Amino acid sequence: MAILLRQWLDESGLGITGLIAKLTPDHFANHSVPARATVSDWLGGVALRWDFAEAVIEICSPGIAIARARRQEARDLWDKAETARRRLQQNDQPATSPRHLSRHQLLSWLSQPLVGQGDGQQEPEGANAGRTIRDIAQEATDADVADIVDALMDSIHPRTWLALLKELRVLGKKDHALLLVHEIGKRGDSHKVPSIVEFLRTEGRFGDEVILVDAIAEHRNADFILQVLRSLRADRQLWPEKVLGERVGVKRDPSETLVILSELRERKEYNVLRNALLGAAKWREPADLAQLIKYLRENNMGEAADLLLMAAGSERGASSFGHVVMAMKEICRPEDVVKLAHATVTQRAAQRLGPLVNTIDKSAMFDEGVRHILTKHSRMRYDSP
């Protein structure tokens, strides 16, 4: 993996000095840019960390698609190395046969303050002595994961579930790991979320982070969401804060989304409100987006509806734009369709107007009025120097 990172660094032409110049505290879980000697060690494969690998990929990749492919290639190597390390560690341990864990035993063990052998700690003494995180991971079923989450809500040590999640991954129990992450987002303590996000980012588990954020956005009320956001801000985790805000605008049905948006406005959480509107504008299904605009108009949130139309005009993909127009024509006010058209030609970046113009020319979804507004003004901007 270190060889790959050095290869990508060489291809970028930056060199180690240029790489260090582009590293920022946000690239690292501890929010600290490492010294040059540390960077050299990591590039040599010594104590290599995933957050550093992800930073190198981001900085040295010429485009998003290449960065995504490189990240997957590096992730595969990282997982293979972790699995091999665990196997070596297991071979050094005395052979043990799997033992059934009752619900009582499971909760009793998880409530202990030490994380166990997996993190180099001493095992709890007493009836559960010798039981390790690997034991629990090997025995885990869907029902056990539910019990684990119940324990997490109470007195589990913060590091225990992190080690358990990692062990589930190593043992190939991906579905159980995903269920665990989802349940933490759905039912977990808001004060633990920042440490969970930091762990997932450090380990390169960005898919898990999305599952966690989506579960919070889909199942928690405005009070809980704002608590999580305050914790993320205090922990200087700005990227998850933006993502969580955007997913709030996507995961709920229109009526639930309206309630949360209304509460955000009353609390003057305007940045969160803006992110939620942006997420809805970019990713919400066309029919749901049109319904949300209608609800906003009917509930004295016209300014939010206008902001949503501006964001949709600026950010909505060309392939779904026509479906948005058609859905809005069915249930929204006629002037909203016109506002969307004007927002598109005034807010959208010029280089993104070309694909939209082509879509409009080939589509039968647009009536002559909307087609005239979009094509005339789009071509004026798109064809200009």
Side-chain angles (χ1 to χ4, degrees):
M1 185 167 171
I3 293 172
L4 262 185
L5 295 179
R6 293 197 301 271
Q7 175 186 327
W8 293 332
L9 178 60
D10 291 342
E11 292 175 0
S12 71
L14 288 173
I16 189 170
T17 300
L19 172 65
I20 293 174
K22 291 180 177 293
L23 292 174
T24 68
D26 289 338
H27 281 128
F28 300 97
N30 61 1
H31 307 293
S32 177
V33 177
R36 184 185 182 94
T38 302
V39 171
S40 297
D41 286 343
W42 287 343
L43 288 173
V46 179
L48 183 59
R49 289 173 31 166
W50 175 256
D51 53 357
F52 172 73
E54 201 275 339
V56 173
I57 293 169
E58 176 186 328
I59 292 170
C60 297
S61 298
I64 296 176
I66 294 177
R68 186 180 298 115
R70 288 177 172 180
R71 188 177 290 113
Q72 184 58 55
E73 184 178 359
R75 185 71 247 176
D76 290 343
L77 285 176
W78 185 272
D79 288 343
K80 289 178 181 178
E82 180 65 14
T83 301
R85 185 183 71 81
R86 289 290 189 172
R87 286 174 178 170
L88 288 174
Q89 184 182 55
Q90 186 179 25
N91 290 338
D92 290 338
Q93 302 298 326
T96 58
S97 59
R99 291 162 291 178
H100 175 70
L101 299 179
S102 68
R103 184 179 188 278
H104 173 74
Q105 289 173 319
L106 183 67
L107 297 180
S108 176
W109 191 92
L110 287 172
S111 67
Q112 298 296 325
L114 299 178
V115 298
Q117 183 176 324
D119 273 9
Q121 302 285 341
Q122 296 296 319
E123 286 296 319
E125 296 182 0
N128 295 299
R131 198 172 301 285
T132 66
I133 288 175
R134 175 170 289 271
D135 291 326
I136 294 179
Q138 287 175 330
E139 295 284 344
T141 65
D142 290 346
D144 287 337
V145 169
D147 289 340
I148 292 169
V149 174
D150 287 338
L152 293 173
M153 301 308 103
D154 300 321
S155 58
I156 188 172
H157 190 281
R159 290 175 296 174
T160 303
W161 89 265
L162 300 177
L164 179 59
L165 176 62
K166 191 172 183 180
E167 195 66 46
L168 287 169
R169 287 280 188 187
V170 171
L171 293 175
K173 296 193 173 186
K174 178 181 178 181
D175 291 342
H176 293 105
L178 295 180
L179 178 60
L180 183 59
V181 173
H182 180 271
E183 290 297 317
I184 290 296
K186 184 177 178 180
R187 297 193 280 159
D189 184 345
S190 63
H191 300 293
K192 295 180 181 178
V193 169
S195 63
I196 294 171
V197 172
E198 180 177 345
F199 169 80
L200 296 177
R201 286 177 61 81
T202 302
E203 292 294 307
R205 298 298 180 190
F206 304 108
D208 289 353
E209 183 177 354
V210 172
I211 291 173
L212 175 70
V213 169
D214 274 355
I216 294 170
E218 183 175 3
H219 296 286
R220 311 311 282 260
N221 60 25
D223 282 337
F224 185 90
I225 292 170
L226 291 176
Q227 289 176 23
V228 170
L229 290 172
R230 282 192 287 270
S231 296
L232 291 171
R233 291 169 191 156
D235 209 42
R236 298 172 59 192
Q237 298 191 46
L238 302 182
W239 182 83
E241 176 183 348
K242 182 177 185 296
V243 173
L244 176 55
E246 291 187 355
R247 300 309 290 172
V248 167
V250 178
K251 297 301 291 184
R252 304 292 182 91
D253 67 42
S255 60
E256 292 179 342
T257 304
L258 174 67
V259 172
I260 293 181
L261 294 179
S262 179
E263 292 189 22
L264 292 174
R265 184 183 66 170
E266 291 178 4
R267 297 167 185 242
K268 299 183 179 180
E269 290 281 353
Y270 298 125
N271 284 337
V272 187
L273 178 61
R274 174 178 58 85
N275 287 334
L277 292 172
L278 181 61
K282 290 194 292 186
W283 295 302
R284 185 176 279 275
E285 290 295 321
D288 286 344
L289 178 59
Q291 189 68 57
L292 180 57
I293 294 170
K294 179 184 177 183
Y295 284 163
L296 290 171
R297 294 284 187 212
E298 293 173 347
N299 289 271
N300 300 316
M301 293 187 67
E303 73 284 1
D306 289 338
L307 290 172
L308 185 55
L309 288 168
M310 289 179 63
S314 173
E315 301 295 335
R316 193 75 186 192
S319 61
S320 65
F321 190 87
H323 297 284
V324 172
V325 172
M326 292 297 292
M328 288 181 58
K329 287 173 64 178
E330 291 183 5
I331 64 174
C332 295
R333 302 173 182 178
E335 57 266 30
D336 283 336
V337 179
V338 177
K339 287 182 178 181
L340 175 65
H342 279 292
T344 302
V345 297
T346 58
Q347 302 296 321
R348 187 173 292 251
Q351 63 268 27
R352 297 182 63 223
L353 284 174
L356 182 58
V357 170
N358 293 334
T359 300
I360 294 169
D361 286 340
K362 298 175 183 178
S363 176
M365 295 182 181
F366 301 91
D367 60 29
E368 288 305 315
V370 175
R371 186 186 298 274
H372 174 74
I373 294 172
L374 288 172
T375 56
K376 178 182 176 181
H377 294 282
S378 295
R379 285 202 170 103
M380 288 176 61
R381 289 188 62 199
Y382 184 64
D383 294 338
S384 62

